[in-house]
Amino acid sequence: MVSLKMQKRLAASVLKCGQNKVWLDPNEANDISMANSRHTVRKLVRDGLIIRKPCVVHSRWRVRQRLLAKRKGRHSGPGKRKGTREARMPSKVLWMKRIRILRKLIHKYRKARKIDKHQYHKLYMMIKGNSFKNKRVLMDHILKEKEKALRLKKLNQKAEHFRAAKKAKVMKRRQKKSQSEAERASGGVAAAAAAST
């Protein structure tokens, strides 16, 4: 067996790779052993007697499978955790995320004229005071408040109508009373005049 150490070194230099990546044709070992310069090595590369091996594939398949499983909640038990709960996901970060979402929602509602500026301020302060744990709860609260306001408005209108009707009734009664009193007085005057004659 001929030593092809020098040829391998030259081929690695010509092909710009490591010596482990160089493949020398074992059937043409005698021809390759005659090559003692880069020029002849280049010729052998062109002829296909010396080849640069392809890159070894570093598959990501297992990584992808693991990530899919992790999204489902696997591989995250006590044995896989290094930091404390606060270190892994700070409560302040969770608070900031929640607050930003809720504030964005009331801002959108105010812009769409679903709530007025007074309601907006009240809700803003309630959000700051940790009254709503998520978006759904806030939306339910706004809906309930709207229904309550509508109900109160209807009740007020009803009461106002009732008050007006009562007032009209009282006025009518007073008018009737005053009319009957006037009639009685005029009747009494007429009777007194008849008696005197």
Side-chain angles (χ1 to χ4, degrees), residues 39-56:
H39 180 73
T40 46
V41 167
R42 278 193 198 96
K43 191 174 184 298
L44 291 172
V45 168
R46 277 197 300 276
D47 294 344
L49 302 181
I50 299 173
I51 297 170
R52 178 180 176 166
K53 289 181 195 172
C55 290
V56 177

Side-chain angles (χ1 to χ4, degrees), residues 116-146:
D116 61 9
K117 63 178 183 179
H118 304 293
Q119 287 170 318
Y120 172 83
H121 182 69
K122 191 180 174 186
L123 288 168
Y124 190 96
M125 296 316 282
M126 282 176 84
I127 288 166
K128 190 181 180 183
N130 198 19
S131 296
F132 311 110
K133 69 173 182 178
N134 56 36
K135 209 166 158 180
R136 184 179 48 78
V137 174
L138 174 59
M139 284 162 85
D140 285 349
H141 177 80
I142 291 168
L143 202 67
K144 278 176 187 169
E145 285 292 307
K146 275 186 164 183

